[in-house]
Amino acid sequence: MNETEIAVPTVDAASTQLAQAQTASDLATSDLAIDGAAATISPIQSLIDQIGSIFDMGGPVVVLLAVLSVLSITVILYKLWQFFYIGIGRHSRARKALKLWRTGHQTEAITLVNKGKSPVSIVVAHVMRGQMFHPDHGALIREDVERVALLSLSKTRFLLRFLETVGQISPLLGLFGTVIGMIEAFQRLQEAGASVDPSVLAGGIWVALLTTAVGLAVAIPASLFADWFTSRVEREQAVMEELVTSVLTGQITDVANSPDTINMQATEFAHAT
């Protein structure tokens, strides 16, 4: 009877020790998880704090430039997607359709070019249909094709003016913030009187110059992408005019269509037969 009474407390003590060890292990695991989460959050929080300090030092001008930066990045990504989706710069389908057209396969050429999404394919399809169904109305066909071309190109130029505007006004906004910051710095210098601290003036100047740096950082990519998008649109317009003219005129001035070349080809054909 005494042995049983002694054994029970022994088992209870072992269970208590095991529970305490398990609790300590859980607490250690929880501390490690918290430390890992803190290590992950720390760089993000540091970045947020740095951005917040830049906004505080730069004032409303930097906030406005940040908004323009976000908007310009959104427009750039949208234009990249749009140009890729509609096939800006891809003219192989339209040129292949032109070759079919010149060899007399008009129906096949129109069917092929109708499947394209690019402005060049759309305009070439219109001019081919006009030549096929209304061959005696060349002037009207050209005018209607110009209407379609302007409509197609206007979609590709959409929002390019916004990028150009951001590229132009961002440095001016940065300079405006710098001027305001310099005025405040010199006001503090005047208020200090004889006890002038050069570090205060230097700190005010570099904070003022911060807005100029932010303005240039926003303007440079916006201007570069605006120029690149514009050059792609101009290239699309040039190819469009080339292919439309080729369909309307039949490229009658090319060397391959000259009388000498035709006679030479006929002679070679006669000798071959």
Side-chain angles (χ1 to χ4, degrees), residues 189-258:
L189 182 63
Q190 181 183 8
E191 292 173 357
S195 59
V196 177
D197 187 0
S199 63
V200 175
L201 180 61
I205 291 175
W206 81 260
V207 170
L209 292 175
L210 178 66
T211 58
T212 299
V214 175
L216 292 175
V218 174
I220 290 172
S223 298
L224 288 176
F225 275 100
D227 291 341
W228 185 72
F229 288 135
T230 301
S231 65
R232 296 295 300 272
V233 173
E234 291 176 353
R235 171 61 179 166
E236 198 78 2
Q237 183 177 359
V239 174
M240 188 183 298
E241 293 175 355
E242 173 197 350
L243 297 182
V244 167
T245 304
S246 299
V247 173
L248 292 176
T249 62
Q251 297 179 333
I252 60 175
T253 61
D254 285 0
V255 176
N257 296 327
S258 63

Short mmCIF file of all heavy atoms in Angstrom, two decimals, residues 189-258:
data_model
loop_
_atom_site.label_atom_id
_atom_site.label_comp_id
_atom_site.label_asym_id
_atom_site.label_seq_id
_atom_site.Cartn_x
_atom_site.Cartn_y
_atom_site.Cartn_z
N LEU A 189 19.05 80.64 -42.22
CA LEU A 189 20.36 81.27 -42.07
C LEU A 189 20.24 82.70 -41.58
O LEU A 189 21.01 83.17 -40.73
CB LEU A 189 21.10 81.22 -43.41
CG LEU A 189 22.52 81.79 -43.44
CD1 LEU A 189 23.44 81.00 -42.52
CD2 LEU A 189 23.06 81.79 -44.87
N GLN A 190 19.24 83.41 -42.08
CA GLN A 190 19.03 84.79 -41.66
C GLN A 190 18.56 84.85 -40.21
O GLN A 190 18.98 85.72 -39.44
CB GLN A 190 18.01 85.46 -42.57
CG GLN A 190 17.74 86.91 -42.23
CD GLN A 190 16.66 87.53 -43.12
OE1 GLN A 190 16.03 86.82 -43.90
NE2 GLN A 190 16.49 88.82 -43.02
N GLU A 191 17.68 83.90 -39.84
CA GLU A 191 17.18 83.89 -38.47
C GLU A 191 18.28 83.55 -37.48
O GLU A 191 18.24 83.98 -36.32
CB GLU A 191 16.04 82.87 -38.35
CG GLU A 191 14.79 83.27 -39.12
CD GLU A 191 13.76 82.17 -39.13
OE1 GLU A 191 14.07 81.08 -38.58
OE2 GLU A 191 12.65 82.37 -39.68
N ALA A 192 19.27 82.76 -37.92
CA ALA A 192 20.36 82.39 -37.01
C ALA A 192 21.22 83.58 -36.64
O ALA A 192 21.86 83.60 -35.57
CB ALA A 192 21.21 81.29 -37.63
N GLY A 193 21.30 84.58 -37.53
CA GLY A 193 22.07 85.77 -37.23
C GLY A 193 23.56 85.51 -37.22
O GLY A 193 24.11 84.87 -38.11
N ALA A 194 24.22 85.97 -36.15
CA ALA A 194 25.68 85.84 -36.07
C ALA A 194 26.11 84.41 -35.78
O ALA A 194 27.18 83.98 -36.21
CB ALA A 194 26.22 86.77 -35.00
N SER A 195 25.27 83.66 -35.06
CA SER A 195 25.61 82.27 -34.72
C SER A 195 25.17 81.33 -35.84
O SER A 195 24.19 80.61 -35.73
CB SER A 195 24.94 81.88 -33.41
OG SER A 195 23.53 82.03 -33.52
N VAL A 196 25.88 81.40 -36.93
CA VAL A 196 25.53 80.60 -38.10
C VAL A 196 26.21 79.24 -38.00
O VAL A 196 27.42 79.15 -37.77
CB VAL A 196 25.95 81.30 -39.41
CG1 VAL A 196 25.65 80.42 -40.61
CG2 VAL A 196 25.25 82.65 -39.51
N ASP A 197 25.43 78.21 -38.19
CA ASP A 197 25.97 76.84 -38.20
C ASP A 197 26.02 76.37 -39.66
O ASP A 197 24.96 76.19 -40.28
CB ASP A 197 25.09 75.92 -37.36
CG ASP A 197 25.70 74.53 -37.21
OD1 ASP A 197 26.81 74.31 -37.76
OD2 ASP A 197 25.07 73.68 -36.56
N PRO A 198 27.20 76.17 -40.23
CA PRO A 198 27.28 75.75 -41.64
C PRO A 198 26.57 74.43 -41.91
O PRO A 198 26.06 74.20 -43.02
CB PRO A 198 28.79 75.64 -41.90
CG PRO A 198 29.41 76.51 -40.87
CD PRO A 198 28.53 76.41 -39.67
N SER A 199 26.52 73.55 -40.91
CA SER A 199 25.87 72.25 -41.13
C SER A 199 24.38 72.42 -41.37
O SER A 199 23.77 71.66 -42.13
CB SER A 199 26.11 71.35 -39.91
OG SER A 199 25.53 71.90 -38.73
N VAL A 200 23.77 73.41 -40.71
CA VAL A 200 22.34 73.66 -40.92
C VAL A 200 22.09 74.09 -42.37
O VAL A 200 21.16 73.62 -43.03
CB VAL A 200 21.83 74.71 -39.93
CG1 VAL A 200 20.37 75.06 -40.23
CG2 VAL A 200 21.98 74.21 -38.50
N LEU A 201 22.94 75.00 -42.86
CA LEU A 201 22.78 75.46 -44.24
C LEU A 201 23.03 74.33 -45.23
O LEU A 201 22.28 74.16 -46.19
CB LEU A 201 23.75 76.61 -44.51
CG LEU A 201 23.72 77.20 -45.93
CD1 LEU A 201 22.36 77.78 -46.25
CD2 LEU A 201 24.81 78.26 -46.08
N ALA A 202 24.06 73.53 -44.98
CA ALA A 202 24.36 72.41 -45.89
C ALA A 202 23.22 71.39 -45.90
O ALA A 202 22.84 70.87 -46.95
CB ALA A 202 25.67 71.74 -45.47
N GLY A 203 22.67 71.12 -44.69
CA GLY A 203 21.56 70.18 -44.64
C GLY A 203 20.35 70.68 -45.40
O GLY A 203 19.68 69.93 -46.12
N GLY A 204 20.05 71.97 -45.27
CA GLY A 204 18.92 72.53 -46.02
C GLY A 204 19.14 72.49 -47.52
O GLY A 204 18.20 72.26 -48.29
N ILE A 205 20.38 72.68 -47.96
CA ILE A 205 20.66 72.69 -49.40
C ILE A 205 20.50 71.29 -50.00
O ILE A 205 19.89 71.11 -51.05
CB ILE A 205 22.07 73.25 -49.66
CG1 ILE A 205 22.10 74.75 -49.34
CG2 ILE A 205 22.48 73.02 -51.11
CD1 ILE A 205 23.47 75.37 -49.45
N TRP A 206 21.04 70.27 -49.33
CA TRP A 206 20.94 68.93 -49.92
C TRP A 206 19.50 68.40 -49.89
O TRP A 206 19.08 67.66 -50.79
CB TRP A 206 21.91 67.95 -49.26
CG TRP A 206 21.48 67.34 -47.96
CD1 TRP A 206 21.85 67.72 -46.71
CD2 TRP A 206 20.62 66.21 -47.79
NE1 TRP A 206 21.26 66.92 -45.77
CE2 TRP A 206 20.51 65.97 -46.40
CE3 TRP A 206 19.93 65.38 -48.65
CZ2 TRP A 206 19.74 64.95 -45.86
CZ3 TRP A 206 19.16 64.35 -48.12
CH2 TRP A 206 19.07 64.14 -46.74
N VAL A 207 18.76 68.81 -48.87
CA VAL A 207 17.34 68.44 -48.86
C VAL A 207 16.61 69.12 -50.01
O VAL A 207 15.75 68.54 -50.67
CB VAL A 207 16.71 68.80 -47.50
CG1 VAL A 207 15.19 68.65 -47.57
CG2 VAL A 207 17.27 67.91 -46.40
N ALA A 208 16.97 70.37 -50.31
CA ALA A 208 16.34 71.08 -51.42
C ALA A 208 16.70 70.43 -52.76
O ALA A 208 15.85 70.29 -53.65
CB ALA A 208 16.77 72.54 -51.41
N LEU A 209 17.95 70.02 -52.90
CA LEU A 209 18.37 69.39 -54.16
C LEU A 209 17.75 68.00 -54.35
O LEU A 209 17.74 67.47 -55.46
CB LEU A 209 19.90 69.27 -54.19
CG LEU A 209 20.66 70.59 -54.29
CD1 LEU A 209 22.16 70.34 -54.19
CD2 LEU A 209 20.33 71.30 -55.59
N LEU A 210 17.23 67.44 -53.28
CA LEU A 210 16.60 66.12 -53.37
C LEU A 210 15.42 66.14 -54.35
O LEU A 210 15.21 65.19 -55.11
CB LEU A 210 16.13 65.67 -51.98
CG LEU A 210 15.40 64.33 -51.91
CD1 LEU A 210 16.33 63.20 -52.27
CD2 LEU A 210 14.84 64.12 -50.49
N THR A 211 14.66 67.20 -54.36
CA THR A 211 13.50 67.27 -55.26
C THR A 211 13.94 67.30 -56.72
O THR A 211 13.27 66.72 -57.58
CB THR A 211 12.66 68.51 -54.94
OG1 THR A 211 13.47 69.68 -55.07
CG2 THR A 211 12.10 68.44 -53.54
N THR A 212 15.05 67.95 -57.02
CA THR A 212 15.55 67.95 -58.39
C THR A 212 15.95 66.54 -58.82
O THR A 212 15.66 66.11 -59.95
CB THR A 212 16.75 68.90 -58.52
OG1 THR A 212 16.34 70.23 -58.21
CG2 THR A 212 17.30 68.88 -59.93
N ALA A 213 16.61 65.81 -57.93
CA ALA A 213 17.00 64.43 -58.25
C ALA A 213 15.78 63.56 -58.49
O ALA A 213 15.75 62.76 -59.44
CB ALA A 213 17.85 63.87 -57.11
N VAL A 214 14.76 63.71 -57.66
CA VAL A 214 13.53 62.93 -57.85
C VAL A 214 12.85 63.29 -59.17
O VAL A 214 12.37 62.43 -59.91
CB VAL A 214 12.57 63.14 -56.66
CG1 VAL A 214 11.25 62.44 -56.90
CG2 VAL A 214 13.22 62.62 -55.38
N GLY A 215 12.82 64.58 -59.49
CA GLY A 215 12.22 65.01 -60.75
C GLY A 215 12.92 64.42 -61.96
O GLY A 215 12.28 63.97 -62.91
N LEU A 216 14.25 64.41 -61.93
CA LEU A 216 15.00 63.82 -63.04
C LEU A 216 14.78 62.30 -63.11
O LEU A 216 14.70 61.73 -64.21
CB LEU A 216 16.49 64.12 -62.88
CG LEU A 216 16.89 65.60 -63.05
CD1 LEU A 216 18.36 65.79 -62.74
CD2 LEU A 216 16.57 66.08 -64.47
N ALA A 217 14.71 61.65 -61.95
CA ALA A 217 14.48 60.21 -61.93
C ALA A 217 13.13 59.84 -62.52
O ALA A 217 12.97 58.77 -63.12
CB ALA A 217 14.58 59.69 -60.50
N VAL A 218 12.16 60.71 -62.38
CA VAL A 218 10.84 60.46 -62.96
C VAL A 218 10.82 60.80 -64.45
O VAL A 218 10.23 60.10 -65.27
CB VAL A 218 9.76 61.27 -62.21
CG1 VAL A 218 8.40 61.13 -62.90
CG2 VAL A 218 9.67 60.81 -60.77
N ALA A 219 11.52 61.87 -64.83
CA ALA A 219 11.45 62.37 -66.21
C ALA A 219 12.22 61.51 -67.20
O ALA A 219 11.79 61.31 -68.33
CB ALA A 219 11.97 63.81 -66.26
N ILE A 220 13.38 60.99 -66.80
CA ILE A 220 14.25 60.29 -67.75
C ILE A 220 13.59 59.04 -68.33
O ILE A 220 13.50 58.89 -69.56
CB ILE A 220 15.60 59.95 -67.08
CG1 ILE A 220 16.40 61.24 -66.86
CG2 ILE A 220 16.40 58.98 -67.93
CD1 ILE A 220 17.66 61.05 -66.05
N PRO A 221 13.07 58.10 -67.53
CA PRO A 221 12.43 56.93 -68.13
C PRO A 221 11.17 57.28 -68.92
O PRO A 221 10.88 56.67 -69.95
CB PRO A 221 12.11 56.02 -66.94
CG PRO A 221 12.15 56.90 -65.75
CD PRO A 221 13.13 57.97 -66.05
N ALA A 222 10.41 58.27 -68.43
CA ALA A 222 9.20 58.66 -69.16
C ALA A 222 9.55 59.20 -70.55
O ALA A 222 8.90 58.85 -71.55
CB ALA A 222 8.42 59.71 -68.36
N SER A 223 10.58 60.04 -70.64
CA SER A 223 10.99 60.59 -71.93
C SER A 223 11.54 59.51 -72.85
O SER A 223 11.24 59.48 -74.06
CB SER A 223 12.04 61.68 -71.72
OG SER A 223 11.52 62.75 -70.96
N LEU A 224 12.35 58.61 -72.31
CA LEU A 224 12.93 57.55 -73.13
C LEU A 224 11.85 56.65 -73.73
O LEU A 224 11.86 56.34 -74.93
CB LEU A 224 13.91 56.72 -72.29
CG LEU A 224 15.23 57.39 -71.92
CD1 LEU A 224 16.05 56.49 -71.02
CD2 LEU A 224 16.03 57.75 -73.17
N PHE A 225 10.91 56.23 -72.91
CA PHE A 225 9.86 55.34 -73.41
C PHE A 225 8.91 56.08 -74.35
O PHE A 225 8.41 55.50 -75.32
CB PHE A 225 9.07 54.74 -72.24
CG PHE A 225 9.71 53.50 -71.67
CD1 PHE A 225 10.46 53.57 -70.52
CD2 PHE A 225 9.55 52.28 -72.29
CE1 PHE A 225 11.05 52.44 -69.99
CE2 PHE A 225 10.13 51.13 -71.77
CZ PHE A 225 10.89 51.21 -70.62
N ALA A 226 8.66 57.36 -74.10
CA ALA A 226 7.82 58.14 -75.00
C ALA A 226 8.45 58.23 -76.38
O ALA A 226 7.78 58.05 -77.42
CB ALA A 226 7.56 59.53 -74.44
N ASP A 227 9.76 58.49 -76.44
CA ASP A 227 10.46 58.56 -77.73
C ASP A 227 10.47 57.19 -78.42
O ASP A 227 10.31 57.10 -79.64
CB ASP A 227 11.89 59.05 -77.53
CG ASP A 227 11.94 60.51 -77.11
OD1 ASP A 227 10.94 61.22 -77.33
OD2 ASP A 227 12.97 60.94 -76.55
N TRP A 228 10.67 56.14 -77.64
CA TRP A 228 10.71 54.79 -78.24
C TRP A 228 9.35 54.40 -78.80
O TRP A 228 9.26 53.89 -79.93
CB TRP A 228 11.16 53.78 -77.19
CG TRP A 228 11.33 52.40 -77.76
CD1 TRP A 228 12.32 51.96 -78.58
CD2 TRP A 228 10.47 51.28 -77.53
NE1 TRP A 228 12.13 50.63 -78.88
CE2 TRP A 228 11.01 50.19 -78.25
CE3 TRP A 228 9.31 51.09 -76.79
CZ2 TRP A 228 10.41 48.93 -78.25
CZ3 TRP A 228 8.72 49.84 -76.79
CH2 TRP A 228 9.27 48.77 -77.51
N PHE A 229 8.29 54.65 -78.05
CA PHE A 229 6.95 54.34 -78.54
C PHE A 229 6.63 55.16 -79.79
O PHE A 229 6.04 54.65 -80.75
CB PHE A 229 5.90 54.61 -77.46
CG PHE A 229 5.91 53.61 -76.34
CD1 PHE A 229 5.84 54.03 -75.02
CD2 PHE A 229 5.98 52.26 -76.59
CE1 PHE A 229 5.85 53.13 -73.98
CE2 PHE A 229 5.99 51.34 -75.56
CZ PHE A 229 5.93 51.77 -74.25
N THR A 230 7.01 56.43 -79.79
CA THR A 230 6.74 57.29 -80.95
C THR A 230 7.48 56.80 -82.18
O THR A 230 6.93 56.79 -83.29
CB THR A 230 7.15 58.74 -80.63
OG1 THR A 230 6.42 59.19 -79.48
CG2 THR A 230 6.84 59.65 -81.80
N SER A 231 8.72 56.37 -82.01
CA SER A 231 9.48 55.85 -83.16
C SER A 231 8.85 54.58 -83.71
O SER A 231 8.83 54.37 -84.93
CB SER A 231 10.93 55.59 -82.74
OG SER A 231 11.01 54.56 -81.78
N ARG A 232 8.32 53.74 -82.84
CA ARG A 232 7.65 52.52 -83.32
C ARG A 232 6.39 52.86 -84.11
O ARG A 232 6.09 52.24 -85.13
CB ARG A 232 7.29 51.62 -82.13
CG ARG A 232 8.46 51.08 -81.36
CD ARG A 232 9.31 50.15 -82.19
NE ARG A 232 8.57 49.00 -82.66
CZ ARG A 232 8.42 47.86 -81.98
NH1 ARG A 232 8.98 47.74 -80.79
NH2 ARG A 232 7.75 46.84 -82.49
N VAL A 233 5.64 53.86 -83.64
CA VAL A 233 4.44 54.27 -84.36
C VAL A 233 4.80 54.87 -85.72
O VAL A 233 4.14 54.60 -86.74
CB VAL A 233 3.62 55.27 -83.52
CG1 VAL A 233 2.46 55.83 -84.32
CG2 VAL A 233 3.11 54.60 -82.25
N GLU A 234 5.85 55.69 -85.76
CA GLU A 234 6.27 56.27 -87.04
C GLU A 234 6.73 55.19 -88.02
O GLU A 234 6.47 55.27 -89.23
CB GLU A 234 7.39 57.28 -86.79
CG GLU A 234 6.91 58.54 -86.06
CD GLU A 234 8.05 59.48 -85.73
OE1 GLU A 234 9.23 59.07 -85.96
OE2 GLU A 234 7.79 60.60 -85.26
N ARG A 235 7.43 54.20 -87.51
CA ARG A 235 7.84 53.08 -88.36
C ARG A 235 6.63 52.33 -88.89
O ARG A 235 6.58 51.93 -90.06
CB ARG A 235 8.74 52.14 -87.55
CG ARG A 235 9.08 50.82 -88.23
CD ARG A 235 9.83 51.01 -89.52
NE ARG A 235 10.15 49.73 -90.13
CZ ARG A 235 10.56 49.60 -91.38
NH1 ARG A 235 10.70 50.67 -92.16
NH2 ARG A 235 10.84 48.41 -91.87
N GLU A 236 5.63 52.14 -88.05
CA GLU A 236 4.40 51.47 -88.47
C GLU A 236 3.71 52.28 -89.57
O GLU A 236 3.21 51.72 -90.56
CB GLU A 236 3.48 51.30 -87.27
CG GLU A 236 2.38 50.26 -87.47
CD GLU A 236 2.88 48.85 -87.32
OE1 GLU A 236 4.08 48.66 -87.02
OE2 GLU A 236 2.08 47.93 -87.51
N GLN A 237 3.69 53.59 -89.43
CA GLN A 237 3.06 54.44 -90.44
C GLN A 237 3.81 54.37 -91.77
O GLN A 237 3.19 54.33 -92.83
CB GLN A 237 3.01 55.88 -89.93
CG GLN A 237 2.32 56.84 -90.88
CD GLN A 237 2.24 58.25 -90.30
OE1 GLN A 237 2.68 58.50 -89.19
NE2 GLN A 237 1.66 59.16 -91.05
N ALA A 238 5.14 54.34 -91.72
CA ALA A 238 5.93 54.27 -92.95
C ALA A 238 5.68 52.96 -93.69
O ALA A 238 5.49 52.94 -94.92
CB ALA A 238 7.41 54.42 -92.62
N VAL A 239 5.67 51.86 -92.96
CA VAL A 239 5.40 50.55 -93.59
C VAL A 239 3.98 50.51 -94.14
O VAL A 239 3.73 49.96 -95.22
CB VAL A 239 5.64 49.42 -92.58
CG1 VAL A 239 5.23 48.07 -93.17
CG2 VAL A 239 7.10 49.38 -92.16
N MET A 240 3.06 51.11 -93.42
CA MET A 240 1.67 51.16 -93.87
C MET A 240 1.55 51.89 -95.21
O MET A 240 0.89 51.41 -96.15
CB MET A 240 0.83 51.84 -92.79
CG MET A 240 -0.66 51.80 -93.00
SD MET A 240 -1.49 52.74 -91.69
CE MET A 240 -1.00 51.81 -90.24
N GLU A 241 2.18 53.05 -95.31
CA GLU A 241 2.13 53.81 -96.56
C GLU A 241 2.80 53.05 -97.70
O GLU A 241 2.33 53.07 -98.85
CB GLU A 241 2.82 55.16 -96.36
CG GLU A 241 2.07 56.09 -95.41
CD GLU A 241 2.84 57.36 -95.13
OE1 GLU A 241 3.98 57.48 -95.61
OE2 GLU A 241 2.30 58.24 -94.42
N GLU A 242 3.90 52.36 -97.40
CA GLU A 242 4.59 51.59 -98.42
C GLU A 242 3.71 50.49 -98.99
O GLU A 242 3.58 50.34 -100.22
CB GLU A 242 5.85 50.97 -97.82
CG GLU A 242 6.56 50.00 -98.76
CD GLU A 242 7.55 49.11 -98.02
OE1 GLU A 242 7.83 49.38 -96.83
OE2 GLU A 242 8.03 48.14 -98.64
N LEU A 243 3.07 49.70 -98.12
CA LEU A 243 2.28 48.57 -98.58
C LEU A 243 0.99 49.03 -99.26
O LEU A 243 0.55 48.42 -100.26
CB LEU A 243 1.96 47.65 -97.41
CG LEU A 243 3.17 46.99 -96.73
CD1 LEU A 243 2.72 46.07 -95.62
CD2 LEU A 243 4.01 46.24 -97.73
N VAL A 244 0.38 50.10 -98.77
CA VAL A 244 -0.84 50.61 -99.41
C VAL A 244 -0.53 51.10 -100.82
O VAL A 244 -1.27 50.80 -101.77
CB VAL A 244 -1.45 51.74 -98.55
CG1 VAL A 244 -2.51 52.50 -99.34
CG2 VAL A 244 -2.06 51.16 -97.28
N THR A 245 0.55 51.82 -100.97
CA THR A 245 0.94 52.30 -102.30
C THR A 245 1.26 51.14 -103.23
O THR A 245 0.95 51.18 -104.43
CB THR A 245 2.15 53.25 -102.18
OG1 THR A 245 1.82 54.31 -101.29
CG2 THR A 245 2.51 53.83 -103.54
N SER A 246 1.89 50.10 -102.69
CA SER A 246 2.20 48.92 -103.51
C SER A 246 0.94 48.24 -104.03
O SER A 246 0.89 47.80 -105.17
CB SER A 246 3.03 47.93 -102.69
OG SER A 246 4.25 48.50 -102.29
N VAL A 247 -0.09 48.19 -103.20
CA VAL A 247 -1.34 47.57 -103.65
C VAL A 247 -2.03 48.44 -104.69
O VAL A 247 -2.54 47.94 -105.71
CB VAL A 247 -2.27 47.32 -102.44
CG1 VAL A 247 -3.64 46.84 -102.90
CG2 VAL A 247 -1.65 46.32 -101.48
N LEU A 248 -2.03 49.75 -104.48
CA LEU A 248 -2.74 50.65 -105.39
C LEU A 248 -2.04 50.79 -106.74
O LEU A 248 -2.69 50.85 -107.79
CB LEU A 248 -2.90 52.03 -104.75
CG LEU A 248 -3.84 52.10 -103.54
CD1 LEU A 248 -3.83 53.50 -102.94
CD2 LEU A 248 -5.26 51.71 -103.93
N THR A 249 -0.72 50.84 -106.73
CA THR A 249 0.03 51.07 -107.98
C THR A 249 0.53 49.79 -108.63
O THR A 249 0.91 49.80 -109.80
CB THR A 249 1.23 51.98 -107.71
OG1 THR A 249 2.13 51.33 -106.79
CG2 THR A 249 0.78 53.30 -107.12
N GLY A 250 0.54 48.71 -107.88
CA GLY A 250 1.07 47.48 -108.43
C GLY A 250 2.57 47.50 -108.59
O GLY A 250 3.14 46.64 -109.27
N GLN A 251 3.25 48.47 -107.99
CA GLN A 251 4.72 48.60 -108.06
C GLN A 251 5.20 48.60 -109.51
O GLN A 251 6.13 47.90 -109.89
CB GLN A 251 5.39 47.47 -107.27
CG GLN A 251 5.07 47.49 -105.79
CD GLN A 251 5.71 46.36 -105.02
OE1 GLN A 251 5.98 45.29 -105.59
NE2 GLN A 251 5.94 46.56 -103.75
N ILE A 252 4.55 49.43 -110.33
CA ILE A 252 4.85 49.42 -111.77
C ILE A 252 6.21 50.02 -112.08
O ILE A 252 6.74 49.84 -113.18
CB ILE A 252 3.75 50.19 -112.55
CG1 ILE A 252 3.68 51.64 -112.06
CG2 ILE A 252 2.42 49.50 -112.40
CD1 ILE A 252 2.70 52.49 -112.85
N THR A 253 6.82 50.75 -111.13
CA THR A 253 8.12 51.35 -111.39
C THR A 253 9.28 50.48 -110.95
O THR A 253 10.44 50.85 -111.13
CB THR A 253 8.23 52.72 -110.67
OG1 THR A 253 8.11 52.50 -109.26
CG2 THR A 253 7.14 53.67 -111.14
N ASP A 254 8.99 49.33 -110.35
CA ASP A 254 10.07 48.45 -109.93
C ASP A 254 10.80 47.87 -111.13
O ASP A 254 10.25 47.75 -112.23
CB ASP A 254 9.53 47.30 -109.07
CG ASP A 254 9.18 47.77 -107.67
OD1 ASP A 254 9.38 48.97 -107.40
OD2 ASP A 254 8.70 46.96 -106.88
N VAL A 255 12.06 47.48 -110.90
CA VAL A 255 12.86 46.91 -111.98
C VAL A 255 12.22 45.63 -112.50
O VAL A 255 12.25 45.34 -113.70
CB VAL A 255 14.29 46.63 -111.46
CG1 VAL A 255 15.12 45.93 -112.52
CG2 VAL A 255 14.95 47.92 -111.03
N ALA A 256 11.63 44.87 -111.61
CA ALA A 256 11.01 43.61 -112.03
C ALA A 256 9.84 43.83 -112.99
O ALA A 256 9.48 42.92 -113.74
CB ALA A 256 10.54 42.83 -110.81
N ASN A 257 9.24 45.03 -112.99
CA ASN A 257 8.09 45.31 -113.86
C ASN A 257 8.47 46.16 -115.07
O ASN A 257 7.59 46.59 -115.82
CB ASN A 257 7.01 46.04 -113.05
CG ASN A 257 6.46 45.19 -111.93
OD1 ASN A 257 6.38 43.97 -112.07
ND2 ASN A 257 6.09 45.81 -110.82
N SER A 258 9.75 46.44 -115.29
CA SER A 258 10.16 47.25 -116.43
C SER A 258 10.10 46.43 -117.72
O SER A 258 10.20 45.21 -117.70
CB SER A 258 11.59 47.76 -116.21
OG SER A 258 12.48 46.67 -116.14
#
